[in-house]
Amino acid sequence: LPMLGHGQVEGYGEKYGMEFRRATLDEHADPWLLERHQREIFPLLHRRAWFAEVHDFLLFDFHTDGGGVDENVLAYSNGNGPTRSLVVFHDRFGSTAGTIRESAAYARKSASGTKRLVRRSLAEGLGLPDDPGMFVTFRDARTGLAYLRSCRDIHERGLWLTLDAYQGHVFWEFRELREGVSGQWRRLAERLCGRGVVSLDDALIELQLEPVHAPLRALFDDGHVAAVLDGTAADRDLDALEDRLAALLAAIANATAV
């Protein structure tokens, strides 16, 4: 349910009253605040049905690396399938790090009508398969960064996060991927180490081309190419370039399976 007060989006300071016929202050909208609402809040309002139901709602404890639960971190998941989301917010001026693994206890009614307290894991709440060959991608609605994690890792260890002062995440657009024979998603997940990127596709291409980058850089080391361009190349320059060019072409052939 959107709870926006009068002038909140624009950054007005005047309090709204039902008895007011018109504004008493000559205020102007704050462009910076408007831009933040348009970028961080309005996209969530367009999909507010994803966050409105309670059937799949789970509240999670944030277990810090030093032990204990950080009560200043609010974390909850909601929805299922394509509407899954995970919201995390740090309500304190400071930094923290920890893991979201298990939900807070909640009452579940049995067929007989009795209630018992149960907990669910984050992986269960997000409906992730417990399969070592499955990975999940998701995006942060506030920053636009995309993330890649192992489904098995989330089942076993949960989701580890670092949070700065008043930092928040709205993770959505969850999508499962099955690992291929080349193990590229596993290698990319290990390379990113939990870090978000603008494009996972671009990060994957960069990973695939990594074996080519080293021989390409080596081709321009030691001034051999500059010597050829200047017309001052000696035989040793040409021999070195020939060897390095051969190494580069071999790396390209290997990376492209040509």
Side-chain angles (χ1 to χ4, degrees), residues 68-214:
V69 175
D70 190 337
E71 301 292 349
N72 296 301
V73 177
L74 175 67
Y76 60 90
S77 67
N78 208 347
N80 60 79
T83 66
R84 290 171 290 182
S85 62
L86 173 65
V87 178
V88 185
F89 182 73
H90 184 211
D91 188 21
R92 180 175 175 271
F93 186 74
S95 299
T96 187
T99 302
I100 303 170
R101 183 186 303 112
E102 192 175 51
S103 74
Y106 65 98
R108 174 179 286 175
K109 183 181 294 186
S110 65
S112 63
T114 60
K115 293 183 179 180
R116 62 187 180 92
L117 292 178
V118 297
R119 296 177 183 267
R120 296 179 68 192
S121 69
L122 175 63
E124 291 174 326
L126 295 175
L128 300 179
D130 188 8
D131 185 334
M134 294 296 293
F135 289 80
V136 61
T137 68
F138 49 93
R139 187 173 296 276
D140 186 351
R142 302 186 69 184
T143 64
L145 296 180
Y147 296 81
L148 174 68
R149 297 292 179 94
S150 162
C151 291
R152 171 60 62 84
D153 187 63
I154 295 178
H155 267 276
E156 294 180 349
R157 287 181 283 272
L159 187 66
W160 184 84
L161 295 170
T162 60
L163 297 166
D164 291 329
Y166 305 111
Q167 184 178 5
H169 298 284
V170 180
F171 297 124
W172 61 7
E173 298 178 358
F174 286 82
R175 182 168 64 98
E176 286 101 23
L177 301 169
R178 177 163 291 280
E179 180 64 286
V181 294
S182 64
Q184 61 182 9
W185 293 117
R186 175 189 55 78
R187 290 188 288 116
L188 181 58
E190 291 174 352
R191 175 173 181 155
L192 295 177
C193 197
R195 177 172 55 90
V197 293
V198 175
S199 170
L200 286 172
D201 291 335
D202 291 346
L204 183 59
I205 292 174
E206 183 178 348
L207 176 68
Q208 293 168 339
L209 294 179
E210 190 173 42
V212 180
H213 293 164

Side-chain angles (χ1 to χ4, degrees), residues 32-47:
W32 175 82
L33 192 60
L34 279 172
E35 188 276 331
R36 282 201 64 188
H37 275 84
Q38 292 168 354
R39 173 167 45 88
E40 299 182 24
I41 304 299
F42 293 170
L44 304 181
L45 297 180
H46 284 300
R47 301 188 194 180

